[in-house]
Amino acid sequence: MSNSSMQVTKSPRKVPVAAVVALGLVFVFGLFVVGFDQGHIFSMAFGEQAFEDMYIHELTHDLRHAAGFPCH
Amino acid sequence: MALKTAMFIAVVLVAGATAGTIHGLANLVLVEPYLDGAIMIENQALFASGQEEDTPEFWAEYESYRIWQKEGQVLASAMLGTSMGALFGIVYVLSRDALPKGHDLKKASVLAAIMWFSVYLVPFLKYPANPPTVGDGETVVLRAVLYLSFIAITGFGAVGFYQVYRRVAKNRKFVAFAGYAALVAVAFALMPPNPDEVAIQTELLDGFRVMSAVGVTIFWTALAIILGALWQKLRPDSEAKLQH
Ligand SMILES: [Zn+2]
C-alpha cells in the first residue's frame, strides 16, 4: 500500500471509529444470541416464562453444537 | 467519508452473513446426521424411563420439531457468521496495512488463517465440540465461562505476540512464535478441563467433532474469500486516495 504512487499522505489512514463501534456491537450481541442466550433476551418481554421456553436456545440449538458452543 | 463508512459496514456484514449461510448449509449435510444420531439416543432413554411413549404421535411431533431446528440452524449460522464477520472486519480494517502486500484476497486469507487458528482451532483442542447428550445442563454456565476465557487468552495472546513480532529484529521473529506457544501451553495446563463426562460411543463422537471442525473451517475460508474479493472490488477504505 505505502509503495503506491497514488498515496500522497503519509499519515495513517483514518479508521472509521463509528463503524468499528457499530460492528463491535453486532459482534457482541450476535454472539450472545447465537451462542449463549438461555431465555435472557425474551425474558425482557415475556418474563420468567422465557427461561422455561428458551425459544432462542431451541432455535439456535443445532448450531451451538455444530460450532462448538457449550450446550447439553 | 460517510459513503465509504457505509460501504465498509456493508461489505463486512454481507461477507459475514453469506459465509455464515454457507456454513449453515454445509452443516445440514456434515453435522446434522450426527446430531440426529445423538438425539435418537436421548429418545431411546426417554422411552426406557417412561417419560415419553414410542408412538406415531411422538415421532410426528419429533420430526416436525427437528425440521424447525434444522431451519433454525441455518438461520443461526447466518447470524453467527454476521457476528464473526463483524469481528473479522474490525481486525481487518485495523491490521490491513500490516498484512502481506498485494491482493485483498491474500490479505484476508492470511488474517482468516490466523484467527481460525487462534480463536477456533486452539480453543477447540482444549474444549472440543460435543454432540447432544454429552453436556450436563448444570455446568453450562461454567463451560461457557471456561470456553470464552480460553478464547480470550488465545485471541488476545495472538494480538500481544503480534506486537512482539513487529518490534523484534528480523532474525529474532521466532521469539514471538515461541512466546505464543508458551502462553498456549500454560493456558492448556492451567485451565480446568471440561467438567462433563463423555459417555457415548467414540465413533459418533469423533465423526461429529471432525465434521464440526470441517464446517467451521469452511466458514473461515468462505469469509476470507468473500470479504477479500468484495474489498478488492469496492475499496471501502480508499478515501485517502480520493482526497489527494
Ligand atoms: Zn444441546
Side-chain angles (χ1 to χ4, degrees):
Chain A
M1 238 355 245
S2 51
N3 289 347
S4 165
S5 56
M6 299 287 283
Q7 203 80 18
V8 180
T9 173
K10 270 196 161 180
S11 64
R13 183 190 301 116
K14 270 179 287 177
V15 171
V17 177
V20 168
V21 171
L23 290 174
L25 291 173
V26 169
F27 167 62
V28 172
F29 182 73
L31 193 66
F32 180 78
V33 168
V34 173
F36 300 100
D37 182 88
Q38 309 288 358
H40 301 87
I41 289 178
F42 278 17
S43 75
M44 287 185 267
F46 303 110
E48 285 300 308
Q49 183 61 34
F51 293 104
E52 296 291 317
D53 297 343
M54 297 206 293
Y55 183 85
I56 292 177
H57 171 107
E58 289 299 314
L59 186 68
T60 62
H61 176 264
D62 284 20
L63 177 68
R64 290 188 184 190
H65 284 282
F69 291 99
C71 194
H72 84 293
Chain B
M1 177 69 186
L3 178 70
K4 287 293 176 182
T5 299
M7 177 86 84
F8 164 58
I9 293 176
V11 162
V12 168
L13 295 183
V14 166
T18 310
T21 306
I22 291 169
H23 182 204
L25 294 174
N27 280 339
L28 287 180
V29 181
L30 299 172
V31 180
E32 289 288 5
Y34 291 95
L35 298 184
D36 286 333
I39 296 171
M40 214 51 99
I41 296 172
E42 295 183 322
N43 289 340
Q44 297 305 332
L46 289 175
F47 298 150
S49 68
Q51 281 176 278
E52 292 286 350
E53 276 184 66
D54 188 350
T55 59
E57 291 74 36
F58 172 85
W59 290 110
E61 196 182 322
Y62 171 79
E63 292 298 338
S64 68
Y65 192 68
R66 289 295 296 144
I67 289 169
W68 177 76
Q69 281 197 313
K70 287 174 189 179
E71 290 164 355
Q73 190 274 127
V74 179
L75 177 68
S77 295
M79 288 170 66
L80 180 64
T82 308
S83 170
M84 295 308 293
L87 177 68
F88 185 70
I90 292 170
V91 179
Y92 192 71
V93 78
L94 293 175
S95 67
R96 192 174 168 280
D97 289 344
L99 290 165
K101 289 187 181 20
H103 200 288
D104 276 281
L105 215 46
K106 183 170 147 193
K107 289 173 179 286
S109 299
V110 169
L111 181 62
I114 293 169
M115 288 179 70
W116 169 83
F117 181 81
S118 61
V119 302
Y120 175 69
L121 186 65
V122 177
F124 179 89
L125 296 175
K126 173 72 180 175
Y127 299 115
N130 280 318
T133 82
V134 169
D136 177 356
E138 300 286 308
T139 63
V140 69
V141 173
L142 170 65
R143 284 181 287 128
V145 170
L146 291 177
Y147 189 55
L148 284 180
S149 308
F150 198 81
I151 292 174
I153 293 169
T154 56
F156 285 117
V159 174
F161 281 102
Y162 166 69
Q163 298 299 330
V164 173
Y165 177 88
R166 262 184 29 174
R167 279 168 176 74
V168 293
K170 252 205 172 96
N171 59 351
R172 288 264 183 281
K173 297 294 188 196
F174 69 89
V175 170
F177 292 103
Y180 186 65
L183 173 76
V184 168
V186 169
F188 249 86
L190 294 187
M191 290 283 287
N194 183 335
D196 298 346
E197 206 178 317
V198 178
I200 57 168
Q201 44 160 173
T202 50
E203 210 176 310
L204 175 64
L205 184 68
D206 293 343
F208 165 80
R209 284 178 177 169
V210 169
M211 288 308 172
S212 162
V214 169
V216 176
T217 304
I218 288 173
F219 167 74
W220 281 101
T221 308
L223 182 63
I225 292 171
I226 298 167
L227 188 134
L230 286 177
W231 200 288
Q232 183 74 32
K233 194 167 162 54
L234 300 171
R235 307 246 57 87
D237 58 343
S238 59
E239 66 259 287
K241 267 186 188 175
L242 294 177
Q243 282 164 7
H244 294 279

